[in-house]
């Protein structure tokens, strides 16, 4: 019975050791992810490690998909990620990416996209954003958006209050840009990007709700309706003055911070990278995280956000699974330590019992010898 108890404890050690060897890597990874939950750069690196282990062709397949979609910038971002991870890519694929990037950066393509951004106010690359920002800096774009949406508001039609508020904020920031000789230009570019993302449906739902609420706070709707009713693109000076009067600059702090963060992303990843961050963001904190990620990862950021989505910015879901992995490892370790303790106690008890039995046996033999000597006649 005694040896059965020892064997059971030894079996527990073996079983717990085997289980711990299986769960320890997952627990270590879960612990690292939980520790990095407030650091977008470190968190994305850990998640990429796991993702790339599962599929060694993941980057190559995404490059092919980006080229097929005509997104040379995204393809080049994946090339940068592959280079950083020491992942070899076929020479012909690298050549195709290089050719696509050169074609996208050509003078004729830039001029065409610049004109598109200037006229339509929509941007999805550096060239079209340059045209859009140029239009907004000369107040044409913002007046166009304010007049259009303001008239919808005055006539009781569906109004995009977010675009309306961003355009009104843009006019005020543009004035500050001129006064500060370009000092507010980064905010101006960021607000333009947010507005353009809204127009083309690439603004995350949560961020759109937050920005819409913020935009309502910075615009005096009745005063703006009156300004729009009398304003015109052909009378920019008069129109801008009336619109600025309806703008509450003291309530624009949150939108200004958003514009700065969007510009920080764009500076490191390009316009499309900023658009990608706006698409996956659910609030201004996500955009601030995206800015930190972009500053750490640079040109690789677009590829990372493509692979991980919002998970590149913060720990999305899986918290329970990560906690269970740690709990399972802790439970298994507790079982191993308990089994070691039980084995040690039972072996010690067996040794003590054996020693006691040996001592009793020697005492009995000695007693029997003494009795035998006493029974022998003198």
């Amino acid at each position: 019975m005694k040896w059965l108890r020892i064997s059971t404890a030894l079996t527990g050690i073996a079983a717990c050791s085997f289980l711990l060897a299986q769960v320890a890597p997952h627990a270590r990874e879960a612990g690292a992810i939980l520790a990095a939950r407030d650091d977008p750069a470190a968190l994305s690196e850990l998640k990429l490690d796991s993702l790339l282990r599962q599929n060694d062709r993941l980057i190559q397949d995404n490059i092919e998909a980006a080229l097929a979609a005509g997104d040379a910038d995204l393809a080049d971002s994946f090339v940068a990620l592959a280079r950083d991870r020491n992942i070899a890519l076929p020479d012909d694929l690298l050549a195709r990416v290089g050719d696509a990037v050169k074609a996208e950066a050509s003078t004729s393509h830039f001029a065409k996209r610049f004109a598109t951004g200037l006229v339509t106010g929509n941007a999805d690359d550096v060239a079209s954003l340059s045209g859009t920002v140029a239009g907004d800096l000369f107040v044409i774009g913002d007046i166009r958006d304010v007049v259009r949406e303001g008239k919808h508001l005055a006539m009781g039609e569906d109004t995009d209050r977010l675009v309306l508020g961003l355009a009104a904020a843009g006019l005020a920031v543009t004035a500050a840009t001129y006064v500060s000789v370009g000092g507010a230009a980064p905010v101006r570019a960021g607000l333009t990007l947010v507005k353009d993302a809204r127009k083309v449906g690439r603004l995350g739902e949560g961020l759109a709700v937050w920005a819409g609420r913020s935009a309502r706070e910075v615009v005096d709707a009745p005063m703006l309706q009156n300004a729009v009713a009398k304003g015109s693109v052909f009378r920019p000076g008069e129109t801008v003055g009336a619109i600025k009067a309806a703008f509450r600059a003291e309530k624009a702090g949150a939108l200004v911070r958003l514009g700065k963060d969007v510009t920080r992303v764009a500076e490191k990843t390009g316009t499309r990278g900023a658009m990608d961050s706006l698409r996956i963001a659910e609030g201004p904190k996500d955009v601030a995280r995206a800015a930190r990620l972009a500053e750490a990862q640079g040109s690789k950021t677009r590829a990372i956000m493509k692979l991980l989505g919002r998970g590149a910015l913060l720990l999305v879901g899986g918290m329970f699974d990560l906690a269970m992995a740690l709990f399972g490892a802790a439970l298994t370790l507790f079982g191993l330590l308990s089994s070691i303790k039980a084995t040690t106690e039972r072996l010690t008890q067996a040794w003590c019992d054996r020693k006691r039995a040996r001592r009793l046996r020697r005492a009995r033999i000695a007693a029997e010898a003494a009795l035998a000597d006493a029974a022998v006649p003198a």
Side-chain angles (χ1 to χ4, degrees):
M1 187 67 178
K2 171 175 59 179
W3 293 110
L4 178 61
R5 294 179 63 205
I6 293 174
S7 298
T8 302
L10 289 171
T11 302
I13 291 177
C16 290
S17 297
F18 175 78
L19 288 175
L20 189 61
Q22 302 301 312
V23 302
H26 300 288
R28 184 168 54 250
E29 182 178 348
I33 290 175
L34 286 172
R37 63 186 180 276
D38 294 324
D39 184 348
L43 182 63
S44 63
E45 288 286 347
L46 291 169
K47 290 187 175 182
L48 279 174
D49 288 339
S50 176
L51 196 62
L52 294 175
R53 279 197 303 267
Q54 300 171 17
N55 184 356
D56 56 0
R57 281 187 53 87
L58 185 63
I59 290 182
Q60 187 172 335
D61 291 343
N62 274 277
I63 292 175
E64 293 283 6
L67 290 175
D71 194 342
D73 181 72
L74 179 58
D76 194 45
S77 180
F78 274 108
V79 170
L81 180 60
R83 191 180 300 117
D84 181 70
R85 294 272 170 164
N86 295 318
I87 298 175
L89 296 173
D91 291 338
D92 64 319
L93 183 61
L94 292 174
R96 287 165 54 202
V97 173
D99 292 341
V101 171
K102 288 179 182 177
E104 195 170 82
S106 66
T107 303
S108 59
H109 182 273
F110 187 92
K112 179 181 178 182
R113 298 301 300 156
F114 181 92
T116 299
L118 180 62
V119 174
T120 66
N122 295 329
D124 61 1
D125 58 16
V126 175
S128 55
L129 177 65
S130 299
T132 302
V133 173
D136 285 351
L137 282 175
F138 287 108
V139 304
I140 298 171
D142 282 331
I143 291 178
R144 176 195 59 221
D145 294 332
V146 170
V147 170
R148 182 182 62 243
E149 297 301 333
K151 289 196 176 196
H152 290 326
L153 180 63
M155 297 176 68
E157 300 174 350
D158 289 339
T159 305
D160 193 328
R161 291 178 178 269
L162 175 52
V163 170
L164 181 62
L166 289 170
L171 288 172
V173 172
T174 299
T177 301
Y178 287 127
V179 170
S180 62
V181 194
V187 179
R188 164 71 277 171
L191 291 175
T192 295
L193 268 173
V194 177
K195 187 173 65 172
D196 290 336
R198 172 66 170 184
K199 289 179 181 178
V200 297
R202 297 180 68 179
L203 195 63
E205 183 178 348
L207 183 59
V209 171
W210 174 87
R213 186 167 57 249
S214 299
R216 287 188 184 92
E217 293 176 355
V218 302
V219 174
D220 186 325
M223 189 178 293
L224 182 62
Q225 287 179 357
N226 184 58
V228 169
K230 298 178 180 179
S232 170
V233 177
F234 301 104
R235 298 194 303 275
E238 179 183 338
T239 303
V240 170
I243 291 172
K244 283 174 59 180
F247 178 73
R248 300 167 179 162
E250 71 279 1
K251 296 185 178 292
L255 282 178
V256 169
R257 285 192 295 272
L258 175 64
K260 288 180 179 178
D261 287 334
V262 173
T263 302
R264 287 168 59 199
V265 178
E267 287 174 347
K268 298 296 182 179
T269 70
T271 303
R272 290 180 177 176
M275 287 289 194
D276 289 346
S277 67
L278 290 171
R279 178 177 53 81
I280 64 176
E282 289 297 319
K285 290 183 179 179
D286 285 359
V287 180
R289 286 173 176 269
R292 291 168 57 194
L293 176 66
E295 288 172 348
Q297 300 291 3
S299 61
K300 300 172 292 185
T301 306
R302 282 202 73 198
I304 292 171
M305 288 195 291
K306 175 66 175 178
L307 292 176
L308 302 178
R310 190 164 176 252
L313 307 179
L314 72 166
L315 191 58
V316 180
M319 181 72 80
F320 178 77
D321 293 335
L322 294 174
M324 286 304 296
L326 290 174
F327 177 73
L331 194 62
T332 304
L333 179 60
F334 177 77
L336 175 62
L337 294 176
S338 297
S339 297
I340 292 174
K341 176 177 178 293
T343 301
T344 302
E345 290 174 346
R346 291 170 189 179
L347 285 173
T348 302
Q349 185 65 48
W351 180 78
C352 290
D353 290 346
R354 185 177 179 182
K355 188 175 181 180
R356 187 182 303 108
R358 188 180 299 168
R359 188 169 57 250
L360 290 173
R361 188 166 55 252
R362 284 199 299 266
R364 187 174 64 252
I365 292 173
E368 290 175 351
L371 288 173
D373 290 342
V376 176

